[in-house]
Short mmCIF file of all heavy atoms in Angstrom, two decimals:
data_model
loop_
_atom_site.label_atom_id
_atom_site.label_comp_id
_atom_site.label_asym_id
_atom_site.label_seq_id
_atom_site.Cartn_x
_atom_site.Cartn_y
_atom_site.Cartn_z
N VAL W 4 120.88 69.62 101.97
CA VAL W 4 120.40 70.33 100.76
C VAL W 4 120.91 71.74 100.79
O VAL W 4 120.77 72.46 101.78
CB VAL W 4 118.86 70.32 100.70
CG1 VAL W 4 118.38 71.10 99.53
CG2 VAL W 4 118.35 68.87 100.66
N GLN W 5 121.49 72.15 99.67
CA GLN W 5 121.95 73.55 99.54
C GLN W 5 121.35 74.13 98.25
O GLN W 5 121.30 73.46 97.23
CB GLN W 5 123.46 73.66 99.52
CG GLN W 5 124.15 73.33 100.84
CD GLN W 5 125.62 73.61 100.84
OE1 GLN W 5 126.27 73.34 99.85
NE2 GLN W 5 126.10 74.09 101.94
N VAL W 6 120.89 75.36 98.37
CA VAL W 6 120.16 76.00 97.26
C VAL W 6 120.92 77.32 96.97
O VAL W 6 120.93 78.22 97.86
CB VAL W 6 118.72 76.24 97.57
CG1 VAL W 6 117.95 76.90 96.41
CG2 VAL W 6 118.04 74.96 98.03
N VAL W 7 121.40 77.50 95.75
CA VAL W 7 122.18 78.68 95.47
C VAL W 7 121.74 79.30 94.14
O VAL W 7 121.74 78.69 93.13
CB VAL W 7 123.69 78.35 95.35
CG1 VAL W 7 124.49 79.62 95.02
CG2 VAL W 7 124.22 77.73 96.67
N GLU W 8 121.25 80.55 94.27
CA GLU W 8 120.82 81.30 93.11
C GLU W 8 121.94 82.16 92.54
O GLU W 8 122.81 82.57 93.26
CB GLU W 8 119.63 82.22 93.41
CG GLU W 8 118.40 81.56 94.03
CD GLU W 8 118.25 81.88 95.47
OE1 GLU W 8 119.27 82.19 96.10
OE2 GLU W 8 117.13 81.87 95.99
N SER W 9 121.78 82.49 91.24
CA SER W 9 122.70 83.41 90.61
C SER W 9 122.00 84.06 89.44
O SER W 9 120.99 83.52 88.93
CB SER W 9 123.98 82.71 90.20
OG SER W 9 123.67 81.68 89.22
N GLY W 10 122.55 85.14 88.97
CA GLY W 10 122.11 85.76 87.74
C GLY W 10 121.33 87.04 87.86
O GLY W 10 120.89 87.62 86.83
N GLY W 11 121.08 87.53 89.07
CA GLY W 11 120.34 88.73 89.18
C GLY W 11 121.17 89.97 88.71
O GLY W 11 122.35 89.81 88.39
N GLY W 12 120.53 91.11 88.67
CA GLY W 12 121.24 92.30 88.29
C GLY W 12 120.29 93.41 87.88
O GLY W 12 119.11 93.38 88.19
N LEU W 13 120.84 94.38 87.18
CA LEU W 13 120.11 95.57 86.76
C LEU W 13 119.90 95.48 85.27
O LEU W 13 120.81 95.20 84.49
CB LEU W 13 120.92 96.84 87.09
CG LEU W 13 120.36 98.17 86.59
CD1 LEU W 13 118.99 98.46 87.24
CD2 LEU W 13 121.38 99.28 86.88
N VAL W 14 118.62 95.73 84.88
CA VAL W 14 118.29 95.70 83.45
C VAL W 14 117.26 96.80 83.18
O VAL W 14 116.50 97.16 84.07
CB VAL W 14 117.74 94.27 83.10
CG1 VAL W 14 116.45 93.96 83.83
CG2 VAL W 14 117.55 94.14 81.58
N GLN W 15 117.24 97.25 81.96
CA GLN W 15 116.24 98.28 81.55
C GLN W 15 114.94 97.60 81.28
O GLN W 15 114.85 96.46 80.86
CB GLN W 15 116.71 99.04 80.36
CG GLN W 15 117.89 100.00 80.66
CD GLN W 15 118.20 100.91 79.49
OE1 GLN W 15 117.99 100.55 78.31
NE2 GLN W 15 118.71 102.12 79.77
N ALA W 16 113.89 98.40 81.44
CA ALA W 16 112.55 97.89 81.08
C ALA W 16 112.48 97.44 79.61
O ALA W 16 113.07 98.08 78.77
CB ALA W 16 111.50 99.01 81.38
N GLY W 17 111.83 96.30 79.43
CA GLY W 17 111.75 95.73 78.11
C GLY W 17 112.91 94.73 77.82
O GLY W 17 112.84 94.02 76.84
N GLY W 18 113.86 94.69 78.70
CA GLY W 18 115.01 93.81 78.49
C GLY W 18 114.77 92.39 79.07
O GLY W 18 113.63 92.05 79.51
N SER W 19 115.80 91.57 79.02
CA SER W 19 115.74 90.19 79.43
C SER W 19 116.84 89.89 80.43
O SER W 19 117.89 90.55 80.44
CB SER W 19 115.89 89.26 78.24
OG SER W 19 114.82 89.46 77.32
N LEU W 20 116.54 88.89 81.24
CA LEU W 20 117.52 88.46 82.26
C LEU W 20 117.25 86.99 82.59
O LEU W 20 116.09 86.59 82.60
CB LEU W 20 117.39 89.34 83.51
CG LEU W 20 118.54 89.35 84.53
CD1 LEU W 20 119.80 89.87 83.91
CD2 LEU W 20 118.14 90.16 85.78
N GLY W 21 118.31 86.24 82.89
CA GLY W 21 118.14 84.86 83.27
C GLY W 21 118.66 84.59 84.66
O GLY W 21 119.69 85.13 85.04
N LEU W 22 117.95 83.76 85.42
CA LEU W 22 118.36 83.37 86.74
C LEU W 22 118.60 81.83 86.74
O LEU W 22 117.97 81.11 86.01
CB LEU W 22 117.26 83.70 87.79
CG LEU W 22 116.80 85.14 87.86
CD1 LEU W 22 115.72 85.25 89.00
CD2 LEU W 22 117.95 86.05 88.14
N SER W 23 119.53 81.46 87.57
CA SER W 23 119.83 80.04 87.75
C SER W 23 119.80 79.69 89.24
O SER W 23 120.10 80.51 90.10
CB SER W 23 121.23 79.68 87.24
OG SER W 23 121.35 80.03 85.88
N CYS W 24 119.42 78.46 89.51
CA CYS W 24 119.43 77.96 90.90
C CYS W 24 119.97 76.54 90.89
O CYS W 24 119.34 75.63 90.29
CB CYS W 24 118.03 78.01 91.47
SG CYS W 24 117.81 77.20 93.03
N THR W 25 121.06 76.35 91.50
CA THR W 25 121.69 75.02 91.59
C THR W 25 121.41 74.43 92.96
O THR W 25 121.60 75.08 93.98
CB THR W 25 123.16 75.09 91.34
OG1 THR W 25 123.42 75.60 89.99
CG2 THR W 25 123.81 73.71 91.37
N VAL W 26 120.95 73.16 92.93
CA VAL W 26 120.58 72.48 94.18
C VAL W 26 121.49 71.25 94.39
O VAL W 26 121.62 70.42 93.46
CB VAL W 26 119.13 72.01 94.08
CG1 VAL W 26 118.70 71.33 95.40
CG2 VAL W 26 118.19 73.18 93.74
N SER W 27 122.12 71.19 95.51
CA SER W 27 122.94 70.05 95.82
C SER W 27 122.24 69.19 96.89
O SER W 27 121.35 69.68 97.56
CB SER W 27 124.29 70.51 96.36
OG SER W 27 124.15 71.27 97.51
N GLY W 28 122.74 67.96 97.04
CA GLY W 28 122.12 67.10 98.07
C GLY W 28 121.52 65.82 97.52
O GLY W 28 120.87 65.09 98.28
N ASN W 29 121.69 65.56 96.24
CA ASN W 29 121.22 64.30 95.63
C ASN W 29 119.73 64.07 95.75
O ASN W 29 119.25 62.99 96.06
CB ASN W 29 121.98 63.11 96.30
CG ASN W 29 121.92 61.89 95.43
OD1 ASN W 29 121.82 61.96 94.23
ND2 ASN W 29 121.94 60.70 96.05
N ILE W 30 118.99 65.20 95.66
CA ILE W 30 117.53 65.12 95.79
C ILE W 30 116.79 65.71 94.57
O ILE W 30 115.56 65.75 94.53
CB ILE W 30 117.04 65.87 97.05
CG1 ILE W 30 117.68 67.29 97.06
CG2 ILE W 30 117.44 65.10 98.29
CD1 ILE W 30 116.93 68.35 96.31
N PHE W 31 117.53 66.17 93.62
CA PHE W 31 116.91 67.02 92.57
C PHE W 31 115.80 66.35 91.83
O PHE W 31 114.75 66.93 91.59
CB PHE W 31 118.02 67.46 91.58
CG PHE W 31 117.63 68.64 90.71
CD1 PHE W 31 117.69 69.90 91.22
CD2 PHE W 31 117.18 68.47 89.42
CE1 PHE W 31 117.33 71.01 90.45
CE2 PHE W 31 116.80 69.53 88.62
CZ PHE W 31 116.88 70.82 89.12
N SER W 32 115.96 65.09 91.51
CA SER W 32 114.92 64.37 90.71
C SER W 32 113.65 64.17 91.49
O SER W 32 112.63 63.91 90.94
CB SER W 32 115.48 63.04 90.21
OG SER W 32 115.79 62.21 91.32
N ARG W 33 113.74 64.29 92.82
CA ARG W 33 112.57 64.08 93.68
C ARG W 33 111.91 65.40 94.04
O ARG W 33 111.01 65.44 94.91
CB ARG W 33 112.91 63.33 94.93
CG ARG W 33 113.40 61.90 94.69
CD ARG W 33 113.56 61.13 96.04
NE ARG W 33 114.75 61.58 96.77
CZ ARG W 33 114.71 62.13 97.93
NH1 ARG W 33 113.51 62.43 98.51
NH2 ARG W 33 115.80 62.44 98.56
N ALA W 34 112.36 66.54 93.45
CA ALA W 34 111.94 67.82 93.88
C ALA W 34 111.15 68.57 92.82
O ALA W 34 111.47 68.56 91.63
CB ALA W 34 113.15 68.66 94.28
N ALA W 35 110.09 69.23 93.30
CA ALA W 35 109.43 70.29 92.52
C ALA W 35 110.17 71.56 92.85
O ALA W 35 110.62 71.77 94.00
CB ALA W 35 107.97 70.38 92.86
N LEU W 36 110.25 72.45 91.86
CA LEU W 36 111.08 73.63 92.08
C LEU W 36 110.28 74.88 91.74
O LEU W 36 109.42 74.88 90.81
CB LEU W 36 112.31 73.56 91.16
CG LEU W 36 113.11 72.30 91.35
CD1 LEU W 36 113.85 71.96 90.08
CD2 LEU W 36 114.08 72.47 92.51
N GLY W 37 110.55 75.95 92.44
CA GLY W 37 109.82 77.19 92.18
C GLY W 37 110.69 78.42 92.30
O GLY W 37 111.71 78.38 93.01
N TRP W 38 110.21 79.47 91.63
CA TRP W 38 110.83 80.75 91.82
C TRP W 38 109.74 81.63 92.45
O TRP W 38 108.57 81.67 92.01
CB TRP W 38 111.25 81.38 90.51
CG TRP W 38 112.47 80.79 89.95
CD1 TRP W 38 112.57 79.79 89.00
CD2 TRP W 38 113.81 81.12 90.30
NE1 TRP W 38 113.93 79.54 88.73
CE2 TRP W 38 114.67 80.31 89.52
CE3 TRP W 38 114.44 82.05 91.17
CZ2 TRP W 38 116.07 80.40 89.58
CZ3 TRP W 38 115.81 82.09 91.26
CH2 TRP W 38 116.62 81.28 90.46
N HIS W 39 110.12 82.35 93.51
CA HIS W 39 109.25 83.28 94.19
C HIS W 39 109.95 84.62 94.21
O HIS W 39 111.19 84.73 94.00
CB HIS W 39 108.98 82.86 95.63
CG HIS W 39 108.24 81.56 95.71
ND1 HIS W 39 107.01 81.44 96.28
CD2 HIS W 39 108.61 80.30 95.35
CE1 HIS W 39 106.58 80.18 96.23
NE2 HIS W 39 107.55 79.47 95.69
N ARG W 40 109.21 85.69 94.46
CA ARG W 40 109.82 87.00 94.57
C ARG W 40 109.22 87.82 95.62
O ARG W 40 108.03 87.60 95.99
CB ARG W 40 109.80 87.72 93.22
CG ARG W 40 108.38 88.17 92.81
CD ARG W 40 108.44 88.76 91.38
NE ARG W 40 107.13 89.27 90.96
CZ ARG W 40 106.84 89.69 89.77
NH1 ARG W 40 107.81 89.74 88.83
NH2 ARG W 40 105.66 90.16 89.45
#
Side-chain angles (χ1 to χ4, degrees):
V4 177
Q5 291 187 322
V6 183
V7 179
E8 302 108 333
S9 62
L13 174 64
V14 63
Q15 288 189 332
S19 299
L20 196 64
L22 305 181
S23 300
C24 171
T25 299
V26 183
S27 61
N29 199 30
I30 52 83
F31 197 81
S32 62
R33 295 189 286 117
L36 306 153
W38 287 97
H39 298 244
R40 69 186 182 186

